[in-house]
Amino acid sequence: MYENAFSKDGYIINQGAFTDLPFGKYPSSQNGCGWIAVYNYLKLQKKPANMEKIKNQLSHTLFLGGKAGMSVVLLYLYLRIFSGCKVKFCIHLPSTAGKLYTPSGIFMYHTGKSFHFVTIKYHAKGQYRFLNAIYGKEQDVRTIRDFLKEQNHFPFLIAIY
């Protein structure tokens, strides 16, 4: 159904493909990065990841029907409480985030237009795979420092890992 939304290994990499999948009062293509990041993170953790279930459960937490997207605090609590993930919530300056090592996690950053959630997975030699940062890119692999230089337009980065 959403063929170009998924990578070959089953992660969501193209949020833009979900134009007819609502998340609150808006299409997931507009504000669904939060539930998509949770879905991808749970798959990375080898935990049950049912797209519809995650989307529906998180849609109940949206403020103003999702006009501003997903709350990072509620996303964190969902992972801790409902999914049983032992994650922590951190705020990093770009200079410290560039030195970060984690096997996987979720970043919230500002694209220059809006805040966005992206799931990361350690790849090799200090590089990470970024899922759904560049819509449709199968292998978006780079360092966190390069990612922040190219993508983040905010003085800090919020991370859940």
Side-chain angles (χ1 to χ4, degrees):
M1 184 165 164
Y2 298 106
E3 302 138 19
N4 64 347
F6 294 89
S7 64
K8 290 178 183 129
D9 51 355
Y11 298 101
I12 298 173
I13 58 168
N14 186 1
Q15 177 181 338
F18 295 118
T19 56
D20 61 345
L21 187 64
F23 186 52
K25 295 180 183 178
Y26 302 89
S28 289
S29 59
Q30 181 179 332
N31 71 345
C33 60
W35 74 259
I36 290 169
V38 168
Y39 172 85
N40 285 336
Y41 184 78
L42 291 175
K43 279 188 66 67
L44 284 172
Q45 302 307 309
K46 306 218 183 311
K47 292 191 175 268
N50 179 293
M51 189 174 97
E52 278 296 316
K53 181 180 176 186
I54 293 166
K55 182 184 73 64
N56 291 338
Q57 288 175 330
L58 288 173
S59 71
H60 296 293
T61 69
L62 295 172
F63 180 67
L64 297 175
K67 183 174 179 117
M70 179 91 216
S71 160
V72 66
V73 173
L74 292 174
L75 187 147
Y76 164 76
L77 291 173
Y78 181 85
L79 286 172
R80 291 271 313 196
I81 296 167
F82 295 105
S83 301
C85 296
K86 294 181 181 180
V87 291
K88 61 183 179 178
F89 182 94
C90 298
I91 298 174
H92 293 283
L93 294 171
S95 58
T96 60
K99 300 172 189 167
L100 178 69
Y101 168 77
T102 183
S104 60
I106 295 174
F107 285 171
M108 185 180 109
Y109 64 99
H110 199 277
T111 66
K113 295 179 182 176
S114 62
F115 284 98
H116 186 63
F117 290 103
V118 65
T119 307
I120 64 165
K121 177 185 183 217
Y122 188 76
H123 184 68
K125 298 181 182 176
Q127 295 194 325
Y128 287 81
R129 182 176 176 199
F130 293 84
L131 302 167
N132 196 43
I134 298 174
Y135 292 179
K137 188 162 185 180
E138 180 79 29
Q139 291 295 323
D140 182 2
V141 177
R142 49 193 157 156
T143 66
I144 291 175
R145 180 170 282 129
D146 288 342
F147 170 79
L148 293 172
K149 281 183 201 171
E150 297 162 11
Q151 305 285 139
N152 189 37
H153 298 273
F154 209 62
F156 58 87
L157 171 77
I158 297 174
I160 299 170
Y161 53 86

